[in-house]
Amino acid sequence: MKNKLCTLLLCAAMLAVTSCGGKPTFDADKPEESIKLMMESLEPEKQKEFQGAMLIIGLGAAFSGSSAENPLKKIDGKTAEEIINLVKSSFKK
């Protein structure tokens, strides 16, 4: 019984690890590294969209005048697609 439980827990852990192995996400603590990894995972057209989205986020942070919140924390943990969609949705408002 103990072996079955250990096997079940091991399988569950392996499933959790492999399901997390998806697309790279932005890491606010290592922005350059994470942007490089994200760019490498994208098709050329999506790379352009992602670069544009990051430019808009950077410009918005530069002109916001508020240094209270780090704008990179808003996109921390998001994939390139999520970041692109976040920027697109901010223009629809």
Side-chain angles (χ1 to χ4, degrees), residues 34-43 47 50-51:
S34 58
I35 289 172
K36 182 180 177 192
L37 287 172
M38 293 167 81
M39 288 290 290
E40 290 172 354
S41 72
L42 297 171
E43 298 292 322
Q47 287 179 353
F50 178 65
Q51 287 174 328

Side-chain angles (χ1 to χ4, degrees), residues 6 9 11 21 30 33-34 37-38 41 51 63 73-74 78 80 86:
C6 288
L9 290 175
C11 288
K30 300 177 187 175
E33 271 182 54
S34 58
L37 287 172
M38 293 167 81
S41 72
Q51 287 174 328
F63 290 108
K73 292 291 181 186
K74 290 181 181 179
K78 296 191 181 315
L86 179 70

Side-chain angles (χ1 to χ4, degrees), residues 2-46:
K2 206 174 201 181
N3 280 343
K4 288 183 180 182
L5 180 59
C6 288
T7 303
L8 181 62
L9 290 175
L10 181 61
C11 288
M14 287 175 52
L15 180 63
V17 169
T18 56
S19 66
C20 294
K23 299 176 182 179
T25 58
F26 184 80
D27 183 354
D29 296 326
K30 300 177 187 175
E32 292 87 10
E33 271 182 54
S34 58
I35 289 172
K36 182 180 177 192
L37 287 172
M38 293 167 81
M39 288 290 290
E40 290 172 354
S41 72
L42 297 171
E43 298 292 322
E45 190 60 36
K46 280 291 180 186

Side-chain angles (χ1 to χ4, degrees), residues 33-89:
E33 271 182 54
S34 58
I35 289 172
K36 182 180 177 192
L37 287 172
M38 293 167 81
M39 288 290 290
E40 290 172 354
S41 72
L42 297 171
E43 298 292 322
E45 190 60 36
K46 280 291 180 186
Q47 287 179 353
K48 291 177 186 177
E49 283 187 73
F50 178 65
Q51 287 174 328
M54 292 302 292
L55 178 64
I56 290 168
I57 289 169
L59 288 173
F63 290 108
S64 72
S66 171
S67 59
E69 185 180 344
N70 182 352
L72 299 183
K73 292 291 181 186
K74 290 181 181 179
I75 59 172
D76 193 33
K78 296 191 181 315
T79 64
E81 191 66 37
E82 290 171 330
I83 293 170
I84 292 167
N85 290 334
L86 179 70
V87 170
K88 284 181 180 180
S89 69

